[in-house]
Amino acid sequence: MADTALATGPLPPAGQPDIRAAYLEMTRRKRMYGGILLVLFVALMASGFLLAEGRNAGGFLDGLPMLTAFPSEVLSEAWANRAAIPGRILQFLPSLVETVNIAAVATLLGGLGAAVLSLLATRGLSRWPRLTPLFRRIMDAFRAVPEIVIALVLIFILGGGPVPAVIAIAIHTAGALGKLFSEVAENADPKPVEGLQSVGANWSQRMWLGVIPQVAPNWLSYALLRFEINVRASAILGFVGEGGIGHDLKLAMQWGQGRYDQVVAIFLLLFVTIVIIDRISDRARERLVKGR
């Protein structure tokens, strides 16, 4: 009897539930839900693959052996013309500067818009508390529409060039950063804001002196991270006629053989630029957040 009591553990007091039984029941329930979700995921992936395979004229599986054919062709031609790649890099450098400028201006405008929207959409800090859900839905709408869709609409209105790209990226940036900024502002200490309110400070003064000094390091950290993303986004928008190095990449790929050395030079420029921006942003974020 003693061995049986030790194996099963002490009995719970009368009127209290068995904690061990409840824990085992919760574990079984989690495993069951996890198994159901896994089965649904596999079924959706399989059905999607079969549907895509049926609509693909060439057949996905039949085309797998050709997966490396195009990259091999590009790299082999670039290697044959490797002596010309440094000159190509200098040729496309002005376009890269334009791409970085588009990303920088869009990040600045989007960041300012995100700061205003986030403060208006943060519970406990909003200037108009009843309109907080409205400002949140505005940020959701800005995030929901991809930059390329906004850019295509603006092309019909403003024509091609860097201006539609800046506006498109800035709108998406305002929505994406606004969400992050709002989450940071929600964790700000309310005591400075309450102190400023007690001495008669208006809403703008409370935000500028009580909230922004607390959230500025994290806000700047997120803005720098978004700048890296926007450099890639501005290069992609070049494919739809927004200028920058993406436009040069589109032309080089459209011409095909004979210009693959240009394609490799552009990719090298983009890669080095992203690495440099990433390293600078990492150092800046570390100094802003950790103070070193």
Side-chain angles (χ1 to χ4, degrees), residues 160-195:
V163 175
V166 170
I167 297 174
I169 297 174
I171 290 174
H172 195 274
T173 298
L177 283 182
K179 173 67 173 176
L180 298 174
F181 286 1
S182 178
E183 292 177 353
V184 174
E186 285 181 351
N187 297 321
D189 187 2
K191 292 180 181 179
V193 180
E194 295 170 357

Side-chain angles (χ1 to χ4, degrees), residues 9 14 20 46 62 68 77 101 119 137 162 166 171 196 203 205 210 216 223 244 264:
R20 180 178 299 176
D62 296 335
T68 60
E77 181 176 325
N101 284 339
L119 294 176
R137 299 295 80 78
V166 170
I171 290 174
L196 288 167
W203 181 81
Q205 292 170 334
V264 171

Side-chain angles (χ1 to χ4, degrees), residues 122-173:
T122 301
R123 300 179 185 90
L125 299 178
S126 178
R127 177 67 177 83
W128 302 286
R130 292 185 178 181
L131 296 180
T132 297
L134 173 63
F135 291 115
R136 286 181 173 271
R137 299 295 80 78
I138 291 174
M139 292 191 299
D140 292 342
F142 286 173
R143 288 197 309 274
V145 183
E147 300 99 325
I148 193 168
V149 175
I150 302 174
L152 288 172
V153 173
L154 292 175
I155 286 176
F156 288 102
I157 301 173
L158 303 175
V163 175
V166 170
I167 297 174
I169 297 174
I171 290 174
H172 195 274
T173 298

Side-chain angles (χ1 to χ4, degrees), residues 61-74:
L61 295 177
D62 296 335
L64 280 179
M66 299 297 295
L67 186 63
T68 60
F70 179 71
S72 300
E73 184 179 352
V74 172

